[in-house]
Amino acid sequence: MRQHRLALCKEHYLEWMPEQTERFIKKYSMFTRDEKILVAVSGGKDSLALWDILARLGYHADGLYIGLGIDGGFGYSSESHRLAQRFADEHDLRLHVLDVEKEYGQPIPVLADITRRGRGRPCSVCGLTKRHVMNRIARDFGYAVLATGHNLDDEAAVLFSNTLNWQAEFLLRQGPVLPESPGFARKVKPLCRFYEREMTAYALLRGIEYIYEECPYAVGSKTTYYKELLNQLETERPGSKLTFYTRFLEARKSGLFAEQKDVQATLTPCPNCGQPTSAPGLCSFCRLIERAMNVGA
Ligand code: AMP
Ligand code: FES
Ligand code: ZN
């Protein structure tokens, strides 16, 4: 690991990873051993590795798999569901499963077609749906914390995008922890300081079976392009991604963006689902589902 000037054998690597994760959990005050954690597992390497690490560290961590109904010619959703369920069964862990089509009438690609914004590229409708479902399950089952498998490459790419556009309101909220607020569980990203290749190495060395393919809609996306750019930079200058991200966290802590108002203050509960929203009536997710039902009728 050039960026850390560190070389480890398999045995030590598999110890190093949970030790470091524990260090970040404490450093950023993510959660304690008394809190129930809901890990959002996609069937990919990061979230399965995260679940594995938290279980090894002795945290009370249950999983949530969201069936998005995406096929892409290779059964993306069904295969990722199978792998998430298999991991849960093998490790005797509890997995909640919510299938979007069964629950809300349509799979993600159809929901996306219904809105003009999502046609052809359903990622924003998918993101909206995933956030809604994660919040709902965390609230309904009393989880204090929701953990996702975002790694350093994910976070650096989002940071790059937000910085290119100077989206101060997003920059204010991006980080390892988003504190709880009325109607929302705390959100944490315990892997945010690990490189993607470090996560791949961990998953392979632990023998975790995960889905190699990305979501078919991610191919050619803006985030994928930013990741490639940052990888070029990292190759020339090892450690760049980590510095970019950690110096951002430090700069914000010392007051950069402090003048931005926190939008959370103006949220009210959605009259249908009860989740906080900045919209005057139904939240954007409930509006999406309402439109889907009208089209389907
Ligand atoms: P992505 O947006 O696909 O890069 O995923 C980021 C994180 O969101 C993953 O590491 C998971 O924690 C979570 N996630 C993504 N897709 C799903 C899914 N279908 N079900 C549950 N969690 C998911
Ligand atoms: Fe949601 Fe790809 S569109 S995971
Ligand atoms: Zn709603």
Side-chain angles (χ1 to χ4, degrees):
M1 294 181 279
R2 279 167 78 202
Q3 66 282 1
H4 306 309
R5 293 169 197 245
L6 189 66
L8 296 174
C9 66
K10 171 178 172 178
E11 195 188 320
H12 286 117
Y13 188 74
L14 291 179
E15 291 310 314
W16 176 83
M17 204 77 182
E19 276 166 24
Q20 290 294 308
T21 311
E22 182 80 305
R23 193 164 77 79
F24 299 138
I25 290 171
K26 295 219 164 81
K27 179 178 167 67
Y28 297 112
S29 307
M30 292 189 182
F31 42 78
T32 64
R33 275 172 207 285
D34 306 329
E35 291 179 305
K36 262 179 36 169
I37 303 154
L38 183 65
V39 185
V41 284
S42 63
K45 62 181 182 322
D46 304 293
S47 47
L48 285 177
L50 171 62
W51 203 10
D52 183 72
I53 291 170
L54 294 181
R56 284 180 70 199
L57 287 169
Y59 285 100
H60 178 150
D62 298 341
L64 164 64
Y65 174 80
I66 305 168
L68 303 167
I70 295 174
D71 184 73
F74 58 93
Y76 172 72
S77 286
S78 52
E79 185 60 6
S80 53
H81 180 197
R82 185 182 74 78
L83 294 168
Q85 190 62 59
R86 183 187 168 140
F87 182 89
D89 295 344
E90 278 176 1
H91 294 80
D92 212 8
L93 293 166
R94 178 179 187 196
L95 179 69
H96 300 268
V97 177
L98 187 138
D99 187 86
V100 171
E101 181 171 3
K102 278 196 202 125
E103 192 69 22
Y104 302 110
Q106 301 291 356
I108 291 293
V110 177
L111 287 179
D113 274 344
I114 290 166
T115 63
R116 221 174 309 132
R117 212 162 53 128
R119 212 164 288 163
R121 193 167 276 296
C123 302
S124 79
V125 164
C126 177
L128 173 72
T129 306
K130 283 194 282 200
R131 279 194 300 277
H132 180 90
V133 170
M134 289 177 194
N135 273 317
R136 174 180 155 187
I137 302 294
R139 188 190 61 186
D140 289 359
F141 290 88
Y143 291 95
V145 192
L146 178 79
T148 53
H150 293 94
N151 59 38
L152 178 63
D153 293 50
D154 298 322
E155 292 305 285
V158 171
L159 177 59
F160 189 63
S161 172
N162 289 341
T163 308
L164 271 184
N165 298 297
W166 288 116
Q167 284 174 302
E169 72 282 17
F170 292 154
L171 290 167
L172 186 69
R173 290 160 59 80
Q174 190 191 345
V177 180
L178 189 60
E180 57 269 52
S181 55
F184 288 132
R186 187 183 325 141
K187 298 201 175 80
V188 299
K189 298 170 184 168
L191 305 181
C192 66
R193 300 221 0 199
F194 294 114
Y195 282 76
E196 172 153 10
R197 50 196 296 269
E198 294 172 342
M199 296 320 304
T200 309
Y202 180 85
L204 292 175
L205 291 174
R206 282 284 290 165
I208 297 173
E209 214 195 321
Y210 63 88
I211 185 153
Y212 294 123
E213 287 90 357
E214 272 206 85
C215 165
Y217 298 111
V219 178
S221 73
K222 205 175 63 176
T223 309
T224 306
Y225 173 62
Y226 292 152
K227 282 187 178 173
E228 285 164 9
L229 286 181
L230 290 168
N231 280 341
Q232 282 179 33
L233 181 66
E234 183 75 25
T235 307
E236 299 276 329
R237 295 174 180 273
S240 299
K241 268 186 245 184
L242 187 58
T243 310
F244 180 48
Y245 183 63
T246 53
R247 297 250 168 102
F248 154 71
L249 295 179
E250 284 164 19
R252 192 183 48 191
K253 204 171 165 194
S254 60
L256 194 67
F257 316 115
E259 285 175 13
Q260 286 294 315
K261 270 207 300 282
D262 195 342
V263 289
Q264 291 278 51
T266 55
L267 300 182
T268 52
C270 163
N272 184 49
C273 72
Q275 289 194 21
T277 173
S278 57
L282 291 180
C283 73
S284 8
F285 179 75
C286 290
R287 266 186 285 140
L288 168 73
I289 298 304
E290 193 183 49
R291 222 172 315 159
M293 301 226 280
N294 289 340
V295 170

